[in-house]
Amino acid sequence: MSEPIWSILLPTHNRKETLLLAIESVLMQQEKSFEILVVADGCTDGTAKFVNDIQDSRVRLLNLPKAPHFGYANRNTALKMCQGNFIAFMAHDDIWLPDHLSILGEVRKEPEIDLVYS
């Protein structure tokens, strides 16, 4: 697989019941050039097995020990591993419409735009 346009950083802690909807909403994007880095912050609810069972090479699990507070240290670790040109943040209880990345991609092409956030 060539370098993806987008790296989606998806931190989670013991929320595999909502994680499926979040991941599925990314997998249904019109823009297909992405990787999903699921940052498991000390998960003990079977999140690792759940994510590893997903049959899509764009989904990667970073199964890390619990970091202090809300796991920001683990997010920083994941940021260093991103292969995409652009980073998109997602929470384990978010759902994206199928055109989410496409719209962000079009807006970021404007020469006066340095940052796109939704």
Side-chain angles (χ1 to χ4, degrees):
M1 182 170 122
S2 63
E3 184 175 279
I5 294 172
W6 295 95
S7 289
I8 292 94
L9 196 63
L10 202 169
T12 189
H13 177 72
N14 291 341
R15 295 290 184 265
K16 72 177 182 177
E17 68 279 357
T18 61
L19 188 59
L20 175 61
L21 294 174
I23 292 172
E24 283 180 342
S25 76
V26 178
L27 294 176
M28 294 187 325
Q29 291 297 297
Q30 295 166 353
E31 170 60 63
K32 300 296 184 191
S33 181
F34 61 79
E35 64 176 349
I36 305 170
L37 283 80
V38 178
V39 185
D41 183 35
C43 293
T44 58
D45 67 344
T47 294
K49 179 181 178 349
F50 167 75
V51 173
N52 284 329
D53 285 346
I54 296 172
Q55 299 296 309
D56 193 307
S57 62
R58 297 172 295 178
V59 180
R60 295 173 40 204
L61 173 70
L62 304 176
N63 195 13
L64 303 170
K66 181 71 181 107
H69 311 295
F70 293 106
Y72 292 111
N74 286 340
R75 294 174 200 196
N76 290 335
T77 298
L79 278 170
K80 294 175 188 174
M81 301 176 85
C82 290
Q83 298 175 1
N85 294 319
F86 301 99
I87 308 296
F89 289 95
M90 178 180 229
H92 55 222
D93 59 352
D94 287 349
I95 297 175
W96 287 351
L97 295 174
D99 60 356
H100 184 80
L101 288 177
S102 296
I103 290 172
L104 290 178
E106 286 303 312
V107 172
R108 73 163 172 79
K109 291 178 184 176
E110 298 295 325
E112 67 277 3
I113 302 292
D114 293 323
L115 176 71
V116 178
Y117 183 81
S118 67

